[in-house]
């Protein structure tokens, strides 16, 4: 494969378009939404009109005919300004629509994908439970098939589910135990649950440290009934399907983390030029210059890592290790850069009116969501051929 990560004209035009949108539309508004813990519906509608929610999907389903590289470029540019908006797009595409695209029947695709691609509707994926996060195999939510009605009957709960309770959320795909395998392990399947289904309850939004303009909820299922045709993919393959979704999603999160890290550089360079101390800009001080040089180095390296993983995915090459490497590195340096940006800004970095305060609050979750840093290290070690305990 080529090691040339320069963008072709079409992708560069996309990147530039999203960059302008982030600075001209998102930046002036998002701080107020963030402080109010309010979902930015007007921004999301504009992103839908731009086609961002359909970037990696075929045109026949209302998509833009792009790929994960295109999605990553959009996520990086959005996250340079704000992560709440970026994670809304990431979750809607990677977790909401992508499972239906990859594993759905033709009828499921034609039913759901057009609205998901347009941003008219958001989808979510319910995997995490109070007792099953990194250990997704510990799922306790159950689904039994009622032979009399040919319906799945779902009981259980999910937590930390992004995009699950907005006014435009249309579905949540839920992993549930649907039986027991011959080896005694649970059989886990994925089932589409439309919003508003009786017995499906969406809790109030969480009070979060960061990502305050995004939607995150706890879900509960009490004798929730959906048609058997709502099974997504093959019965018993739900866990394997989600592992595939996570592998791809890590590239998207790596792009988002890269954007946050680069945004910290952007804001800190600007501040270092404007802020004067002892009669001169603080940017002339070598201590500040060295911090910024290291921050730029980390963001640049992170960008190469996620683009390499995305390129491997696009070209049909193995990418599991590269996705884990990119996700681990980008999340680590996002936290590093956010901390250093706050330090450069001094007391102002602790004030919410400055973007770096938002970036500092938003960065830590990147080391946890879509596979913790510890899980990434386990995956990398396995890909290196080390023995599994």
């Amino acid at each position: 494969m080529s090691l040339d990560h320069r963008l072709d004209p079409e992708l560069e035009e996309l990147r530039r378009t999203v960059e302008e949108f982030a600075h001209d539309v998102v930046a002036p508004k998002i701080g107020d939404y963030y402080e109010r813990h309010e979902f930015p519906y007007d921004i999301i509608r504009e992103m839908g009109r731009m086609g961002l929610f359909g970037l990696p999907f075929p045109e026949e389903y209302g998509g833009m005919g792009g790929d994960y590289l295109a999605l990553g470029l959009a996520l990086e540019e959005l996250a340079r300004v704000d992560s709440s908006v970026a994670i809304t797009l990431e979750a809607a595409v990677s977790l909401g629509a992508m499972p239906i695209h990859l594993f759905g029947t033709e009828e499921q695709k034609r039913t759901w994908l057009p609205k998901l691609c347009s941003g008219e509707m958001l989808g979510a994926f319910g995997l995490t439970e109070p007792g099953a996060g990194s250990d997704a195999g510990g799922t306790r939510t159950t689904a039994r098939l009622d032979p009399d009605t040919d319906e799945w009957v779902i009981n259980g709960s999910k937590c930390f589910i992004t995009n699950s309770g907005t006014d435009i959320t249309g579905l949540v795909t839920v992993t549930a135990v649907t039986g027991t395998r011959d080896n005694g392990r649970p059989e886990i399947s994925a089932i589409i649950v439309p919003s508003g289904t009786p017995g499906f309850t969406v809790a109030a939004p969480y009070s979060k440290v960061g990502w305050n303009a995004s939607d995150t909820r706890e879900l509960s299922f009490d004798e929730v009934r959906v048609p058997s045709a709502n099974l997504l993919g093959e019965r018993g393959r739900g866990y394997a399907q989600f592992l595939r979704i996570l592998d791809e999603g890590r590239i998207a999160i790596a792009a988002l983390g890269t954007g946050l890290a680069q945004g910290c550089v952007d804001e800190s360079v600007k501040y270092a030029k404007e802020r004067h101390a002892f009669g001169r800009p603080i940017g002339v001080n070598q201590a500040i210059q060295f911090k910024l040089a290291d921050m730029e180095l980390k963001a640049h390296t992170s960008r190469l890592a996620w683009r390499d993983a995305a390129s491997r995915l696009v070209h049909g090459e193995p990418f599991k290790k590269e996705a884990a490497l990119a996700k681990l590195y980008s999340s680590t340096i996002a936290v590093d850069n956010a901390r250093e940006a706050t330090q450069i800004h001094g007391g102002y970095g602790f004030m919410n009116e400055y973007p770096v305060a938002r970036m500092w609050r938003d960065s830590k979750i990147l080391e946890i969501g879509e596979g913790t840093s510890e899980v990434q290290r386990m995956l990398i070690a396995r890909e290196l051929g080390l023995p599994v305990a």
Side-chain angles (χ1 to χ4, degrees):
M1 62 176 282
S2 171
L3 294 178
D4 186 353
H5 290 291
R6 290 175 295 182
L7 302 176
D8 62 36
E10 184 177 351
L11 286 173
E12 175 57 27
E13 182 180 358
L14 168 67
R15 188 205 64 77
R16 191 181 305 112
T17 298
V18 180
E19 178 186 30
E20 292 174 357
F21 172 79
H23 284 278
D24 296 344
V25 178
V26 178
K29 299 179 179 180
I30 197 61
D32 289 339
Y33 283 112
Y34 198 91
E35 286 301 299
R36 297 196 305 266
H37 293 232
E38 184 178 327
F39 191 76
Y41 288 101
D42 59 336
I43 293 175
I44 299 306
R45 279 193 295 270
E46 291 193 49
M47 290 165 57
R49 286 193 289 267
M50 293 171 65
L52 299 188
F53 291 94
L55 275 174
F57 302 113
E59 294 179 7
E60 64 180 301
Y61 300 115
M64 299 292 286
D67 52 34
Y68 248 87
L69 181 56
L71 174 64
L73 292 171
L75 289 171
E76 180 178 338
E77 293 302 328
L78 289 171
R80 285 178 73 166
V81 170
D82 178 71
S83 291
S84 292
V85 170
I87 195 59
T88 298
L89 175 62
E90 191 279 333
V93 174
S94 297
L95 304 178
M98 191 58 71
I100 294 175
H101 171 58
L102 291 178
F103 310 117
T105 63
E106 187 63 24
E107 181 179 355
Q108 289 170 341
K109 292 178 184 179
R110 297 203 176 277
T111 297
W112 298 108
L113 283 182
K115 290 185 177 181
L116 293 172
C117 288
S118 70
E120 180 182 350
M121 174 187 293
L122 297 180
F125 202 109
L127 173 75
T128 305
E129 299 183 2
S134 297
D135 178 19
T139 298
R140 294 291 178 265
T141 297
T142 62
R144 70 179 191 278
L145 192 58
D146 185 338
D148 296 330
T149 61
D150 196 30
E151 294 175 318
W152 291 106
V153 184
I154 306 170
N155 287 279
S157 63
K158 300 291 179 178
C159 60
F160 311 139
I161 309 304
T162 304
N163 291 344
S164 58
T166 73
D167 293 345
I168 56 174
T169 299
L171 67 98
V172 178
T173 301
V174 178
T175 52
V177 177
T178 53
T180 304
R181 300 185 181 278
D182 293 339
N183 61 7
R185 297 181 64 84
E187 171 194 86
I188 298 178
S189 304
I191 302 170
I192 299 172
V193 180
S195 298
T197 301
F200 174 25
T201 303
V202 180
Y206 287 104
S207 175
K208 297 174 293 187
V209 171
W211 286 358
N212 287 336
S214 72
D215 180 80
T216 316
R217 315 253 186 159
E218 183 176 2
L219 313 177
S220 61
F221 305 87
D222 183 9
E223 293 292 294
V224 172
R225 289 178 172 268
V226 297
S228 63
N230 283 29
L231 178 71
L232 182 64
E234 189 179 334
R235 177 171 176 167
R237 295 286 297 168
Y239 185 51
Q241 290 168 7
F242 195 73
L243 290 179
R244 163 72 184 277
I245 293 298
L246 281 180
D247 284 339
E248 295 188 1
R250 285 174 184 132
I251 299 174
I253 291 294
L256 192 157
T258 301
L260 189 152
Q262 188 66 59
C264 289
V265 177
D266 298 341
E267 293 297 328
S268 297
V269 168
K270 177 183 175 183
Y271 184 80
K273 292 177 178 179
E274 296 174 348
R275 170 66 167 162
H276 283 64
F278 303 104
R280 60 182 186 172
I282 64 171
V284 305
N285 297 321
Q286 195 174 71
I288 301 296
Q289 292 180 355
F290 281 11
K291 279 185 186 293
L292 285 167
D294 287 343
M295 290 165 66
E296 177 70 8
L297 170 64
K298 291 173 181 178
H300 177 76
T301 305
S302 182
R303 182 174 300 110
L304 295 177
W306 84 252
R307 288 191 185 182
D308 174 61
S311 180
R312 292 172 185 272
L313 169 60
V314 169
H315 288 90
E317 300 173 0
F319 67 93
K320 181 186 286 287
K321 181 181 73 174
E322 287 74 19
L325 286 166
K327 200 275 183 182
L328 173 61
Y329 185 73
S330 72
S331 59
T332 301
I333 65 102
V335 172
D336 290 346
N337 277 15
R339 183 180 61 250
E340 294 289 23
T342 303
Q343 192 70 22
I344 289 170
H345 280 70
Y348 290 108
F350 205 62
M351 300 296 110
N352 285 326
E353 64 187 277
Y354 281 78
V356 294
R358 193 166 68 241
M359 293 171 179
W360 183 63
R361 293 164 66 178
D362 290 341
S363 64
K364 180 57 187 175
I365 187 61
L366 296 174
E367 295 184 311
I368 300 171
E370 294 214 32
T372 64
S373 295
E374 291 76 15
V375 167
Q376 304 314 309
R377 289 183 170 90
M378 289 168 53
L379 291 171
I380 294 165
R382 289 174 185 174
E383 290 296 307
L384 290 174
L386 296 172
V388 178

